[in-house]
Amino acid sequence: QPQEHDDKEPLVYYDAGCDIDATLDYLRSGRGKYKISKKEALIEYQSALEYAATKFGLRGLISKTYLRKPGRPLIPPSASFHFTQDFSVPIYYVLGLACDVKCDTDDIKHQTTQSLIDAFQCSSSSIIGFSSSLNYTKKGLAQKGCCREEQLERLRCCFEAAGQAKVTLQISTSPGAADLDPKQQNVAGTDYARVLLDLQTIMFEYLSKYPDLRVHLSCWSGRADHMIKLLGAFPTA
């Protein structure tokens, strides 16, 4: 009979795709019930995280945070929230660019890239990489500062900053495959296909320039076969 072993390694994990500020906003007003205070939302969130750490092996958070004013000092990511002193789950951050940050000239691109690198170097104990996203849903593209080209320019700045600073770039894409017709094998011409093609093009561009750059595709919701193709196209990234 198989022997039972009590010395098995326990399951541990990190929430590598969270956004603490967005979660707190959701807890305060996003559930279709009465609004609660930020303090109440913090207590509820901290309680859930501590439960996950105790019962299910949560060992840390990697949360998105954003540079809103290139050229100015970065506001510390934790300035907008304060868990109690006994909160024991480590929090790290990946730094991206807010939607109202424009990168439409070479000078601005250079300044923005350098601002990302400076912010990382000043906060390297808490900021462990950069982040960017491409959101080609109708709602995403309709937001101010989020047309396709504006999103691509911010992604290029983040790629450049990650390449120069030699840190990982976390990327998320939308829409995913959930809205596709499950019977439709050919996704050409869909917003889902466009966002993946744009991502692939820019990855080729910057991984050719920075071959040691590492990319983390966060919160993947695309098809499994497309992920396999991306892994095959960029086996070292």
Side-chain angles (χ1 to χ4, degrees), residues 93-107:
Y93 299 92
V94 283
L95 179 63
L97 296 171
C99 286
D100 54 354
V101 174
K102 294 186 177 297
C103 305
D104 50 1
T105 69
D106 289 342
D107 286 344

Side-chain angles (χ1 to χ4, degrees), residues 16-89:
C18 70
D19 186 327
I20 292 175
D21 286 324
T23 301
L24 290 173
D25 286 343
Y26 172 75
L27 292 175
R28 291 182 66 185
S29 59
R31 292 175 289 180
K33 66 175 188 178
Y34 62 89
K35 293 185 177 181
I36 63 175
S37 69
K38 190 166 188 177
K39 182 178 180 180
E40 290 173 307
L42 276 166
I43 292 172
E44 183 178 351
Y45 192 23
Q46 178 172 334
S47 176
L49 292 172
E50 290 175 336
Y51 184 80
T54 301
K55 298 292 187 179
F56 303 111
L58 176 65
R59 290 297 178 264
L61 305 177
I62 301 177
S63 176
K64 296 177 176 64
T65 190
Y66 300 95
L67 181 66
R68 303 185 184 280
K69 300 289 184 181
R72 299 184 185 180
L74 176 70
I75 298 174
S78 60
S80 61
F81 61 87
H82 298 282
F83 292 116
T84 60
Q85 290 184 349
D86 60 346
F87 183 64
S88 60
V89 180

Side-chain angles (χ1 to χ4, degrees), residues 106-121:
D106 289 342
D107 286 344
I108 292 176
K109 290 175 189 175
H110 176 76
Q111 179 190 27
T112 301
T113 299
Q114 191 58 50
S115 292
L116 285 168
I117 295 171
D118 291 344
F120 164 74
Q121 291 175 340

Side-chain angles (χ1 to χ4, degrees), residues 95-207:
L95 179 63
L97 296 171
C99 286
D100 54 354
V101 174
K102 294 186 177 297
C103 305
D104 50 1
T105 69
D106 289 342
D107 286 344
I108 292 176
K109 290 175 189 175
H110 176 76
Q111 179 190 27
T112 301
T113 299
Q114 191 58 50
S115 292
L116 285 168
I117 295 171
D118 291 344
F120 164 74
Q121 291 175 340
C122 291
S123 308
S124 57
S125 62
S126 59
I127 296 176
I128 60 173
F130 297 116
S131 71
S132 191
S133 64
L134 293 177
N135 185 346
Y136 286 9
T137 64
K138 290 181 180 179
K139 183 177 180 180
L141 291 169
Q143 294 182 42
K144 184 178 179 181
C146 289
C147 74
R148 173 175 173 266
E149 193 53 45
E150 287 171 317
Q151 292 189 55
L152 290 173
E153 290 304 331
R154 283 194 292 271
L155 177 59
R156 289 187 176 98
C157 282
C158 291
F159 257 112
E160 183 64 34
Q164 290 188 30
K166 299 181 180 180
V167 297
T168 298
L169 175 61
Q170 183 186 92
I171 304 173
S172 60
T173 62
S174 188
D179 295 331
L180 297 173
D181 182 347
K183 298 179 181 178
Q184 180 183 358
Q185 290 299 314
N186 186 359
V187 299
T190 64
D191 293 332
Y192 169 76
R194 291 187 189 96
V195 75
L196 293 186
L197 287 172
D198 281 351
L199 172 62
Q200 180 176 283
T201 299
I202 293 182
M203 285 182 68
F204 270 122
E205 177 184 348
Y206 282 92
L207 289 171

